[in-house]
Amino acid sequence: MVAGIAHEINNPLSFVLNNLHIIKTDFTEIGDVLHKYQAGVGSPAEIQCFKNDIQISQGLEELTDVIQTSYDGIKRIQEIILNMRNFTRLDNKRSYVNLYEGIESALMILHHKLKNRITVEKKFHPIPETYCVCGQLIQVFMNLLNNAADAIIDQGVITIKGFEQNQQIILLFTDTGSGIPSENIDRLFEPFFTTKDKGHGLGLGLSIVHSIITNHKGTITVDSGPKKTTFRIALPVDSGAGSG
Ligand SMILES: Nc1ncnc2c1ncn2[C@@H]1O[C@H](COP(=O)(O)OP(=O)(O)OP(=O)(O)O)[C@@H](O)[C@H]1O
Ligand SMILES: [Mg+2]
């Protein structure tokens, strides 16, 4: 998880740094022109010649561009840090949160793994805030999304659907990946059950998901066919506020 966040921050940070270098170079050139103006009053031809030489308007245009993208980069870093607060703010305390925010945090952290390869479709119907440990549920969403991304070999789609039904929040994570053979379905939530190569999976993701959802008095089920898998989470809107 930390590696994911570091990667997400490092990207905008490197282009902001690169931009600062460009700004510094352009600024030095523009400063040179200003100095010539100051020193060279009385010889406009010379200044004109110098101005043409360094293509001042191109420099200014580039600067505007570079400043805008730096601004975007810094905004992105700010967004990531705000998102990270979802983890630390609540840690193991329960409170009322909107689960869609948790899903957005998970998607943000996995951005580098999903982009260019996987289309994420969100069908978010209005849901009430839910009493939960937000950080733990982000972990649930990350584990499910990670598995879905692993199951999609090349290009594919992950659809996340959410709605309220009978005082419960229903969340469906569907992917167009490999599908799960029926003989494996019953073993998915067992600790250390994995079909991934050594070094690629410990088989712990879904057992963690299962215990977090159970701790929230919810249920998780799976439905899979060829080239399609859906994990369905049902969580009570109020898993006993006050009982902890
Ligand atoms: N969306 C999915 N599509 C296809 N197979 C899946 C999917 N989700 C889980 N699986 C199967 O379930 C197994 C167990 O998943 P789990 O997340 O518990 O462990 P893992 O992904 O193998 O390892 P870890 O999560 O510890 O890195 C996976 O190895 C895979 O075979
Ligand atoms: Mg996993």
Side-chain angles (χ1 to χ4, degrees):
M1 187 177 84
V2 176
I5 295 172
H7 186 102
E8 284 307 307
I9 292 182
N10 202 40
N11 247 355
L13 201 60
S14 2
F15 73 70
V16 169
L17 266 177
N18 193 39
N19 283 354
L20 280 174
H21 179 76
I22 298 173
I23 290 172
K24 192 175 158 195
T25 314
D26 282 0
F27 202 75
T28 313
E29 286 187 354
I30 291 167
D32 281 351
V33 176
L34 290 175
H35 279 129
K36 289 263 175 184
Y37 262 115
Q38 235 177 4
V41 187
S43 78
E46 195 191 332
I47 293 166
Q48 189 58 45
C49 187
F50 187 70
K51 254 164 63 183
N52 291 346
D53 235 25
I54 70 156
Q55 291 163 318
I56 195 163
S57 64
Q58 199 178 312
L60 283 174
E61 209 171 284
E62 183 176 74
L63 268 180
T64 316
D65 234 41
V66 155
I67 289 169
Q68 183 57 47
T69 54
S70 305
Y71 182 79
D72 295 344
I74 299 280
K75 284 291 276 184
R76 172 90 185 126
I77 293 171
Q78 190 185 39
E79 216 172 82
I80 293 166
I81 290 178
L82 278 176
N83 257 298
M84 278 167 56
R85 286 213 199 133
N86 278 337
F87 288 91
T88 50
R89 173 173 57 125
L90 303 164
D91 233 353
N92 274 318
K93 280 207 213 86
R94 291 190 185 212
S95 64
Y96 284 93
V97 292
N98 187 313
L99 291 178
Y100 293 154
E101 277 179 31
I103 293 176
E104 294 293 355
S105 293
L107 285 171
M108 188 273 302
I109 294 161
L110 293 174
H111 178 72
H112 67 285
K113 184 164 177 167
L114 306 177
K115 71 169 180 201
N116 305 334
R117 199 165 73 80
I118 292 163
T119 310
V120 177
E121 284 175 4
K122 288 177 265 186
K123 297 179 180 166
F124 288 176
H125 298 277
I127 52 169
E129 291 196 327
T130 310
Y131 192 65
C132 66
V133 185
C134 184
Q136 288 185 1
L137 285 174
I138 293 170
Q139 185 72 59
V140 164
F141 304 145
M142 280 177 56
N143 290 0
L144 293 179
L145 290 166
N146 242 320
N147 283 345
D150 285 344
I152 294 171
I153 306 302
D154 186 19
Q155 305 275 323
V157 181
I158 298 176
T159 310
I160 311 169
K161 186 174 174 185
F163 55 93
E164 187 191 6
Q165 190 177 66
N166 306 328
Q167 294 293 309
Q168 286 196 316
I169 311 287
I170 310 296
L171 298 172
L172 301 165
F173 291 79
T174 302
D175 65 71
T176 60
S178 56
I180 303 172
S182 55
E183 64 267 26
N184 290 348
I185 291 278
D186 290 338
R187 305 196 55 200
L188 289 185
F189 298 105
E190 278 177 23
F192 302 109
F193 174 79
T194 182
T195 59
K196 293 173 190 172
D197 292 340
K198 241 193 153 97
H200 288 273
L202 287 172
L204 287 177
L206 285 178
S207 68
I208 293 168
V209 165
H210 189 268
S211 62
I212 293 173
I213 296 298
T214 313
N215 274 334
H216 284 80
K217 301 192 169 74
T219 56
I220 178 162
T221 51
V222 58
D223 182 28
S224 187
K227 302 265 147 227
K228 190 176 165 176
T229 300
T230 299
F231 282 86
R232 179 186 189 273
I233 293 175
L235 279 171
V237 172
D238 202 325
S239 61
S243 72

